[in-house]
Amino acid sequence: MHGPDATLDSDQNVSGGRWTPGDHILWRYRAHPAPGTAGAAGRPGGTHDGPRAPGGPADGHHSPNGHGGHGADAPRDAGLLGRTVAVCRPVTVVRDDAETLAVWVAPDTECVRPVLADGTELHREPLATRYTKPHRPLRTRWFGAGVLKLARPGEPWSVWLFWEVDWTFRSFYVNLEAPRVRWAGGVDSEDHYLDLVVHPDRSWEWRDEDEFAAAQRAGLMSASRAAAVRDAGRRAVDAIGAWGPPFSAGWELWRPDPKWTVPLLPADWDRTPARLSS
């Protein structure tokens, strides 16, 4: 891939090292600014914050987004860290090496997710205005079972594993997103609206195509950007068909260390990494 969307294919590690199992970090998604703006807090911007299923954000809803800052098709690494944090999840590091970053979102973790400025839950707002009305952050709790998130370098998505509360494995969720920008306290990304659900029998289906289309209509994603995201989705489908890592790696049998504590949401959860500030 070439040109402004090339950053879909490469993670950046600016944190200067790797984390060890049990470390607490932040997994964050940056918000979309309004079309043609630099993305000030409180401006309209699309965010979708977690799968609609038992367990997840307290609204049972969707994962987050962030585009813009330097134009709809600007390199994502340049503008990402200058945008408002829309979603923040404190997580525990499970594994961090050249192959995989794996983190655990524990039940009852205090998180931040977006709602409309008047407090309306995003999933209750019609699509026609969901991504054009102003948003604000809301502190809430991750309810139900936890979720394991896996991110492999070079892949413009992360793979999430969901279980029932009795640890019956439910599904994989492929969240299309920008490769993570790593900093000392965690990783930042932007969600790309379009997702896939992969069932235990290896069947799969697209999710949130309506939100993907609505974001384009709202001007939050250009035609070329949407085409790049759709292409990334097709590559994810190919990865599902090949059934290689992480799908084949046995993560369904993984369990968190019972000695781990639930990470705390810091007061400065929306901070900009100092070494990356302009």
Side-chain angles (χ1 to χ4, degrees):
M1 186 177 295
H2 303 282
D5 290 316
T7 52
L8 283 171
D9 289 317
S10 60
D11 280 17
Q12 287 200 15
N13 187 345
V14 295
S15 65
R18 296 197 179 277
W19 299 294
T20 58
D23 284 350
H24 291 171
I25 64 172
L26 301 179
W27 185 292
R28 309 191 302 188
Y29 291 92
R30 298 280 175 160
H32 290 269
T37 74
R43 303 287 289 179
T47 41
H48 108 164
D49 73 303
R52 290 188 189 91
D59 62 356
H61 196 221
H62 272 91
S63 335
N65 325 314
H67 293 279
H70 296 277
D73 288 315
R76 284 328 185 239
D77 53 349
L80 181 66
L81 292 172
R83 296 182 233 145
T84 302
V85 175
V87 172
C88 179
R89 295 170 185 153
V91 298
T92 301
V93 174
V94 175
R95 171 180 166 186
D96 183 24
D97 56 30
E99 294 296 321
T100 303
L101 171 62
V103 303
W104 170 243
V105 184
D108 202 41
T109 299
E110 186 177 19
C111 304
V112 174
R113 61 179 173 82
V115 293
L116 295 187
D118 65 2
T120 300
E121 303 286 357
L122 296 189
H123 67 284
R124 298 187 183 281
E125 179 68 19
L127 279 171
T129 52
R130 187 177 303 175
Y131 303 131
T132 58
K133 289 185 176 180
H135 294 170
R136 65 173 174 85
L138 177 71
R139 296 170 75 113
T140 186
R141 296 277 176 178
W142 190 274
F143 75 98
V147 60
L148 181 68
K149 296 187 178 189
L150 310 173
R152 289 163 51 86
E155 290 180 341
W157 60 78
S158 58
V159 177
W160 305 359
L161 281 76
F162 285 92
W163 292 267
E164 304 295 349
V165 292
D166 65 356
W167 285 104
T168 299
F169 179 65
R170 191 168 75 235
S171 64
F172 296 99
Y173 189 86
V174 180
N175 196 72
L176 296 177
E177 61 188 48
R180 283 60 45 194
V181 175
R182 299 165 58 105
W183 51 284
V187 294
D188 283 13
S189 183
E190 63 180 14
D191 184 87
H192 289 158
Y193 300 95
L194 189 62
D195 308 301
L196 298 108
V197 172
V198 186
H199 302 288
D201 64 0
R202 303 190 186 184
S203 63
W204 60 271
E205 58 189 291
W206 292 105
R207 288 291 299 271
D208 308 320
E209 291 191 276
D210 56 345
E211 297 189 357
F212 185 56
Q216 294 172 65
R217 290 193 298 271
L220 296 172
M221 184 176 292
S222 71
S224 62
R225 187 65 177 169
V229 171
R230 180 67 76 171
D231 178 69
R234 285 190 285 265
R235 285 186 279 138
V237 169
D238 290 342
I240 295 166
W243 207 252
F247 305 105
S248 63
W251 284 105
E252 305 96 308
L253 303 177
W254 174 87
R255 299 294 183 267
D257 188 328
K259 297 189 296 294
W260 284 347
T261 58
V262 176
L264 299 177
L265 180 68
D268 58 349
W269 56 266
D270 58 347
R271 66 189 180 276
T272 296
R275 64 181 294 177
L276 299 177
S277 299
S278 56

